[in-house]
Amino acid sequence: MLVPLGLALSLGAMGGIGATGDLGRERITVAGDAMRPTYRPGERLAVERVDEGDIRRGDVVLVTVPDRYGDAPALQRVIGLGGDRVESTDGTRVAVNGKEIDEPYVMRDEFGTTGAPYEVTVPDGRLFLLGDNRPNANDSRYFLEEQSGSVAASDVRGRVRAERAVPLVLPALGASGALLTLVGIGLGIWGYVTRPRSLARW
């Protein structure tokens, strides 16, 4: 009885841990300041693969753009998708398709200076990307002559996803299940060894 119960607890705990995404996820280490204050240098992030059609505005993605950033991967936020009109009349506030977007995650320049105004239409199959640290992000704004500063959606290596901690009860259940399994096996062996032997007939 103990062995099946122990195995059930162990397998259930493993399934729970897998469902939280803590097994088999790719992790990266933030190397630059472009995404401060959202992500800081040295911070470890989980990145999941994402199909091009599933990329959404506001996603933070890891991209490797040929002939840009020395072919090193960069972490940036998706602002515009293919067909979107992205503009900033003052170099600070950003509007997509005529509607100013709320960006509480952005680090503003403490000296109050603004970037250059811009207005682009993102080509189909491409993305307009900005860093959250606008005063110190080498993003789509600096490559406007190259297809409106956009990058191909196929250049996306993955999307940062929120960490979900494993509930403490899951490892405890797993350990309890393993212990019950061992106890059950031990009792079974002990019972077999100590069971009464029938007398042989002469």
Side-chain angles (χ1 to χ4, degrees):
M1 183 66 181
L2 291 178
V3 174
L5 178 60
L7 288 174
L9 286 175
S10 296
L11 293 174
M14 289 177 63
I17 292 174
T20 61
D22 280 88
L23 297 179
R25 60 169 47 177
E26 180 186 357
R27 293 181 180 274
I28 63 168
T29 300
V30 179
D33 289 320
M35 287 301 296
R36 289 170 63 101
T38 309
Y39 303 118
R40 300 176 181 278
E43 187 171 350
R44 295 279 286 170
L45 303 177
V47 175
E48 63 181 353
R49 296 186 62 180
V50 59
D51 293 332
E52 295 177 22
D54 292 331
I55 299 172
R56 299 289 180 263
R57 299 183 195 92
D59 286 347
V60 176
V61 295
L62 185 70
V63 295
T64 302
V65 186
D67 301 322
R68 193 181 293 186
Y69 315 125
D71 293 334
L75 203 61
Q76 296 180 347
R77 189 178 297 273
V78 178
I79 301 299
L81 306 173
D84 284 344
R85 180 169 55 87
V86 181
E87 63 179 321
S88 177
T89 57
D90 61 4
T92 301
R93 292 171 296 178
V94 179
V96 177
N97 299 324
K99 183 177 180 180
E100 184 175 329
I101 59 176
D102 183 30
E103 297 189 286
Y105 44 78
V106 169
M107 177 180 285
R108 305 296 182 184
D109 190 337
E110 61 181 326
F111 298 107
T113 59
T114 61
Y118 57 88
E119 179 178 353
V120 299
T121 297
V122 185
D124 289 339
R126 299 182 71 85
L127 310 169
F128 191 85
L129 307 176
L130 296 178
D132 288 355
N133 184 2
R134 298 292 158 81
N136 191 31
N138 190 21
D139 48 35
S140 289
R141 297 171 296 171
Y142 297 95
F143 302 93
L144 296 178
E145 300 302 319
E146 303 173 15
Q147 300 199 61
S148 301
S150 64
V151 305
S154 58
D155 290 335
V156 173
R157 289 178 44 180
R159 171 174 56 196
V160 175
R161 65 179 179 183
E163 294 283 353
R164 290 178 295 173
V166 179
L168 294 178
V169 68
L170 293 180
L173 282 177
S176 299
L179 181 60
L180 284 176
T181 302
L182 292 175
V183 170
I185 292 173
L187 289 176
I189 294 173
W190 176 256
Y192 176 80
V193 170
T194 60
R195 70 178 180 175
R197 297 293 195 277
S198 59
L199 295 175
R201 295 187 179 183
W202 295 94

